[in-house]
Amino acid sequence: MQHLMSPLDLSVEELDKLLTLANDIERNPQKYAHACEGKKLATCFYEPSTRTRLSFEAAMLNLGGSVLGFSTADSSSAAKGESVSDTIRVISCYADICAMRHPKEGAPLVASEKSTIPVINAGDGGHQHPTQTLTDLLTIRSLKGRLDNLTIGLCGDLKFGRTVHSLIHALIRYPNIQFVLISPEELRVPSYIREDVLRKNHVPFQEVERLEDAIGELDILYMTRVQRERFFNEDDYVRMKDFYILNKKKMALAKEDMIVMHPLPRVNEISVDVDDDPRAAYFRQAQYGVYVRMALILTLLEVNIC
Ligand code: CP
């Protein structure tokens, strides 16, 4: 039985197979419409979500399966003090596969150790968000045609942004990837990412503060939200929250074929007047999230469709 805690749980070959399956699902949805009949997905969300939870649920419904679960810790017995270990032992009696989001880093891993069904980390604190990474990789491969030879700008909250951390881990496995890390001083990537992941693997990167200085050299601009829920101090959040606002004027400095990605939700960091720009890919990215989660469910449940 396989769980998914980190994008690195999948080899590059396994990832390639999964993304190819997701593309086939996109092209031939009817072929997969009954693939998970009789199977149940539990969504156990101890932290708010729109895209991840609902795209998991849409994915299982598209595969002909059923869904059950909870969307807040308060509406589960966690409110009475139940541990994730006990919860997953019980969920294992009710469902065939579980997607879990939790504010504590490592909570889905703890759950996976007691689970008798596959557990998918749907985001754990500021740590990892592997299915967002699968979504991002599918988006990049589908829209740019490759996962190598890319200059990727990561902009915003690079300190607490789990989507950024997961994406860096995943992309450094491909040839000729370079990063431009665009953030205010206080929200720079953690040193373990800079030293143990980027420098150790000889991945070229530069750190800059002004988006205008970097945007012209990028193939992909990955914007992120400054996350109020990760700050200990409201004053710091207020000072940082509008540090970057991507607008039409800044888009005019970008390459014709650059794409703009964002895991969403956005607050102010992308002006709505960018939404109609053909380079704005963030809503298409959300759609790719359904296809890749369908592919992941099929893979972890070992369902093969010829
Ligand atoms: N991208 C993402 O994780 O969105 P949600 O928080 O809405 O799930």
Side-chain angles (χ1 to χ4, degrees), residues 17-36:
K17 201 170 152 196
L18 187 99
L19 300 183
T20 300
L21 176 59
N23 284 137
D24 193 55
I25 290 168
E26 178 188 6
R27 283 190 298 270
N28 304 296
Q30 276 312 316
K31 194 170 133 188
Y32 298 91
H34 304 285
C36 284

Side-chain angles (χ1 to χ4, degrees), residues 159-174:
K159 180 177 180 183
F160 299 112
R162 60 190 174 198
T163 58
V164 163
H165 303 163
S166 286
L167 187 59
I168 290 174
H169 274 107
L171 279 172
I172 62 165
R173 299 193 289 180
Y174 297 91

Side-chain angles (χ1 to χ4, degrees), residues 45 47-55 101 122-123 129 131-132 135-136 162-163 222 225 227 229 262-265 285-286 293:
F45 277 59
E47 209 184 38
S49 167
T50 297
R51 268 146 300 276
T52 310
R53 186 171 66 84
L54 296 184
S55 64
R101 171 171 289 189
H129 192 349
T131 62
Q132 182 63 51
T135 301
D136 298 342
R162 60 190 174 198
T163 58
Y222 194 97
R225 174 176 66 97
Q227 303 173 87
E229 65 272 28
H262 191 308
L264 303 177
Q285 188 180 348
R293 289 182 174 100

